[in-house]
Short mmCIF file of all heavy atoms in Angstrom, two decimals:
data_model
loop_
_atom_site.label_atom_id
_atom_site.label_comp_id
_atom_site.label_asym_id
_atom_site.label_seq_id
_atom_site.Cartn_x
_atom_site.Cartn_y
_atom_site.Cartn_z
N ALA A 138 -13.15 13.86 15.60
CA ALA A 138 -12.20 12.76 15.59
C ALA A 138 -11.96 12.24 16.99
O ALA A 138 -11.80 11.03 17.19
CB ALA A 138 -10.88 13.23 14.94
N MET A 139 -11.91 13.14 17.99
CA MET A 139 -11.74 12.69 19.37
C MET A 139 -12.83 11.70 19.74
O MET A 139 -12.55 10.68 20.37
CB MET A 139 -11.71 13.87 20.36
CG MET A 139 -10.45 14.70 20.32
SD MET A 139 -10.43 15.97 21.61
CE MET A 139 -9.84 14.98 23.01
N LEU A 140 -14.05 12.01 19.38
CA LEU A 140 -15.17 11.09 19.64
C LEU A 140 -14.98 9.76 18.91
O LEU A 140 -15.24 8.69 19.46
CB LEU A 140 -16.49 11.73 19.28
CG LEU A 140 -16.91 12.92 20.14
CD1 LEU A 140 -18.09 13.66 19.49
CD2 LEU A 140 -17.27 12.48 21.55
N ASN A 141 -14.48 9.84 17.68
CA ASN A 141 -14.28 8.64 16.86
C ASN A 141 -13.18 7.72 17.39
O ASN A 141 -13.22 6.52 17.15
CB ASN A 141 -13.96 9.01 15.41
CG ASN A 141 -15.15 9.55 14.67
OD1 ASN A 141 -16.29 9.34 15.04
ND2 ASN A 141 -14.87 10.28 13.62
N VAL A 142 -12.21 8.30 18.10
CA VAL A 142 -11.09 7.46 18.55
C VAL A 142 -11.18 7.07 20.04
O VAL A 142 -10.25 6.54 20.60
CB VAL A 142 -9.72 8.12 18.25
CG1 VAL A 142 -9.53 8.31 16.77
CG2 VAL A 142 -9.53 9.40 19.01
N GLY A 143 -12.36 7.35 20.64
CA GLY A 143 -12.57 6.81 21.97
C GLY A 143 -12.75 7.78 23.12
O GLY A 143 -13.00 7.36 24.24
N TRP A 144 -12.64 9.07 22.88
CA TRP A 144 -12.89 10.02 23.95
C TRP A 144 -14.40 10.13 24.14
O TRP A 144 -15.18 10.07 23.19
CB TRP A 144 -12.33 11.40 23.59
CG TRP A 144 -10.86 11.48 23.55
CD1 TRP A 144 -10.04 11.36 22.46
CD2 TRP A 144 -9.98 11.66 24.65
NE1 TRP A 144 -8.73 11.44 22.81
CE2 TRP A 144 -8.65 11.64 24.17
CE3 TRP A 144 -10.18 11.83 26.03
CZ2 TRP A 144 -7.54 11.78 24.98
CZ3 TRP A 144 -9.07 11.99 26.86
CH2 TRP A 144 -7.77 11.95 26.33
N THR A 145 -14.82 10.34 25.37
CA THR A 145 -16.24 10.58 25.63
C THR A 145 -16.48 12.09 25.55
O THR A 145 -15.55 12.90 25.71
CB THR A 145 -16.69 10.08 27.04
OG1 THR A 145 -16.01 10.88 28.03
CG2 THR A 145 -16.38 8.61 27.22
N LYS A 146 -17.72 12.46 25.34
CA LYS A 146 -18.09 13.89 25.32
C LYS A 146 -17.72 14.55 26.64
O LYS A 146 -17.21 15.67 26.66
CB LYS A 146 -19.57 14.05 25.02
CG LYS A 146 -19.96 15.47 24.76
CD LYS A 146 -21.39 15.57 24.27
CE LYS A 146 -21.76 17.02 24.00
NZ LYS A 146 -23.12 17.17 23.51
N GLU A 147 -17.92 13.84 27.75
CA GLU A 147 -17.61 14.37 29.06
C GLU A 147 -16.11 14.64 29.22
O GLU A 147 -15.70 15.64 29.80
CB GLU A 147 -18.11 13.45 30.18
CG GLU A 147 -19.64 13.35 30.26
CD GLU A 147 -20.29 12.54 29.12
OE1 GLU A 147 -19.63 11.67 28.51
OE2 GLU A 147 -21.46 12.81 28.83
N GLU A 148 -15.30 13.72 28.71
CA GLU A 148 -13.83 13.92 28.76
C GLU A 148 -13.41 15.12 27.93
O GLU A 148 -12.54 15.89 28.34
CB GLU A 148 -13.11 12.67 28.28
CG GLU A 148 -13.19 11.47 29.21
CD GLU A 148 -12.63 10.21 28.61
OE1 GLU A 148 -12.80 9.98 27.39
OE2 GLU A 148 -12.00 9.44 29.38
N ILE A 149 -14.03 15.28 26.77
CA ILE A 149 -13.67 16.40 25.93
C ILE A 149 -14.10 17.72 26.58
O ILE A 149 -13.33 18.70 26.56
CB ILE A 149 -14.33 16.25 24.51
CG1 ILE A 149 -13.77 15.01 23.83
CG2 ILE A 149 -14.09 17.51 23.67
CD1 ILE A 149 -14.50 14.63 22.56
N ILE A 150 -15.25 17.73 27.21
CA ILE A 150 -15.70 18.94 27.94
C ILE A 150 -14.71 19.27 29.03
O ILE A 150 -14.32 20.42 29.21
CB ILE A 150 -17.12 18.73 28.50
CG1 ILE A 150 -18.13 18.76 27.35
CG2 ILE A 150 -17.45 19.81 29.56
CD1 ILE A 150 -19.53 18.32 27.74
N GLU A 151 -14.22 18.26 29.78
CA GLU A 151 -13.23 18.51 30.83
C GLU A 151 -11.94 19.06 30.23
O GLU A 151 -11.30 19.97 30.81
CB GLU A 151 -12.94 17.24 31.61
CG GLU A 151 -14.00 16.93 32.63
CD GLU A 151 -14.19 18.03 33.65
OE1 GLU A 151 -13.22 18.63 34.16
OE2 GLU A 151 -15.38 18.35 33.92
N LEU A 152 -11.53 18.54 29.08
CA LEU A 152 -10.35 19.08 28.39
C LEU A 152 -10.55 20.54 28.05
O LEU A 152 -9.69 21.39 28.29
CB LEU A 152 -10.04 18.28 27.12
CG LEU A 152 -8.96 18.88 26.23
CD1 LEU A 152 -7.59 18.81 26.91
CD2 LEU A 152 -8.93 18.16 24.89
N LEU A 153 -11.69 20.88 27.48
CA LEU A 153 -11.96 22.28 27.08
C LEU A 153 -11.99 23.20 28.30
O LEU A 153 -11.51 24.33 28.23
CB LEU A 153 -13.26 22.35 26.30
CG LEU A 153 -13.29 21.52 25.00
CD1 LEU A 153 -14.62 21.70 24.29
CD2 LEU A 153 -12.13 21.87 24.09
N ILE A 154 -12.54 22.72 29.41
CA ILE A 154 -12.51 23.52 30.63
C ILE A 154 -11.09 23.71 31.12
O ILE A 154 -10.65 24.79 31.49
CB ILE A 154 -13.41 22.87 31.73
CG1 ILE A 154 -14.89 22.95 31.33
CG2 ILE A 154 -13.17 23.51 33.10
CD1 ILE A 154 -15.83 22.11 32.19
N PHE A 155 -10.32 22.62 31.11
CA PHE A 155 -8.91 22.68 31.53
C PHE A 155 -8.13 23.69 30.68
O PHE A 155 -7.32 24.46 31.18
CB PHE A 155 -8.27 21.30 31.45
CG PHE A 155 -6.82 21.28 31.79
CD1 PHE A 155 -6.38 21.37 33.09
CD2 PHE A 155 -5.88 21.16 30.78
CE1 PHE A 155 -5.03 21.35 33.40
CE2 PHE A 155 -4.52 21.13 31.07
CZ PHE A 155 -4.11 21.24 32.39
N LEU A 156 -8.39 23.69 29.38
CA LEU A 156 -7.64 24.56 28.47
C LEU A 156 -7.98 26.04 28.62
O LEU A 156 -7.28 26.90 28.10
CB LEU A 156 -7.83 24.09 27.03
CG LEU A 156 -7.15 22.77 26.68
CD1 LEU A 156 -7.49 22.34 25.27
CD2 LEU A 156 -5.63 22.86 26.89
N VAL A 157 -9.04 26.36 29.38
CA VAL A 157 -9.32 27.78 29.68
C VAL A 157 -8.10 28.41 30.31
O VAL A 157 -7.76 29.55 30.01
CB VAL A 157 -10.57 27.90 30.60
CG1 VAL A 157 -10.68 29.30 31.18
CG2 VAL A 157 -11.85 27.56 29.86
N GLY A 158 -7.43 27.67 31.19
CA GLY A 158 -6.27 28.21 31.89
C GLY A 158 -5.09 28.49 30.96
O GLY A 158 -4.22 29.31 31.30
N TYR A 159 -5.02 27.86 29.83
CA TYR A 159 -3.92 28.04 28.90
C TYR A 159 -4.30 28.86 27.68
O TYR A 159 -3.47 29.59 27.13
CB TYR A 159 -3.41 26.66 28.42
CG TYR A 159 -2.72 25.92 29.53
CD1 TYR A 159 -3.43 25.08 30.36
CD2 TYR A 159 -1.36 26.11 29.79
CE1 TYR A 159 -2.80 24.41 31.41
CE2 TYR A 159 -0.73 25.44 30.81
CZ TYR A 159 -1.46 24.60 31.62
OH TYR A 159 -0.84 23.95 32.65
N ASN A 160 -5.55 28.75 27.24
CA ASN A 160 -5.98 29.40 25.99
C ASN A 160 -6.98 30.52 26.19
O ASN A 160 -7.25 31.27 25.27
CB ASN A 160 -6.57 28.38 25.04
CG ASN A 160 -5.57 27.30 24.65
OD1 ASN A 160 -4.40 27.55 24.55
ND2 ASN A 160 -6.06 26.10 24.45
N GLY A 161 -7.58 30.61 27.37
CA GLY A 161 -8.56 31.62 27.63
C GLY A 161 -9.99 31.18 27.32
O GLY A 161 -10.21 30.14 26.69
N PHE A 162 -10.92 31.97 27.80
CA PHE A 162 -12.32 31.64 27.62
C PHE A 162 -12.80 31.71 26.17
O PHE A 162 -13.57 30.85 25.75
CB PHE A 162 -13.20 32.52 28.50
CG PHE A 162 -13.35 32.01 29.90
CD1 PHE A 162 -12.58 32.53 30.94
CD2 PHE A 162 -14.22 30.96 30.21
CE1 PHE A 162 -12.69 32.05 32.22
CE2 PHE A 162 -14.34 30.47 31.49
CZ PHE A 162 -13.57 31.01 32.50
N PRO A 163 -12.42 32.72 25.39
CA PRO A 163 -12.97 32.78 24.03
C PRO A 163 -12.79 31.51 23.19
O PRO A 163 -13.72 31.04 22.56
CB PRO A 163 -12.25 33.99 23.40
CG PRO A 163 -11.93 34.86 24.58
CD PRO A 163 -11.58 33.89 25.68
N ASP A 164 -11.59 30.94 23.23
CA ASP A 164 -11.36 29.72 22.45
C ASP A 164 -12.14 28.53 23.02
O ASP A 164 -12.64 27.69 22.28
CB ASP A 164 -9.86 29.37 22.39
CG ASP A 164 -9.09 30.31 21.48
OD1 ASP A 164 -9.74 31.02 20.67
OD2 ASP A 164 -7.87 30.35 21.58
N SER A 165 -12.23 28.47 24.35
CA SER A 165 -12.98 27.36 24.94
C SER A 165 -14.49 27.51 24.67
O SER A 165 -15.17 26.51 24.45
CB SER A 165 -12.74 27.28 26.46
OG SER A 165 -11.43 26.78 26.68
#
Side-chain angles (χ1 to χ4, degrees):
M139 286 185 83
L140 293 167
N141 288 340
V142 299
W144 292 96
T145 66
K146 188 172 181 179
E147 293 74 24
E148 289 172 323
I149 296 170
I150 289 169
E151 282 302 316
L152 171 67
L153 301 180
I154 292 169
F155 177 76
L156 290 175
V157 166
Y159 291 90
N160 299 327
F162 276 100
D164 288 344
S165 288

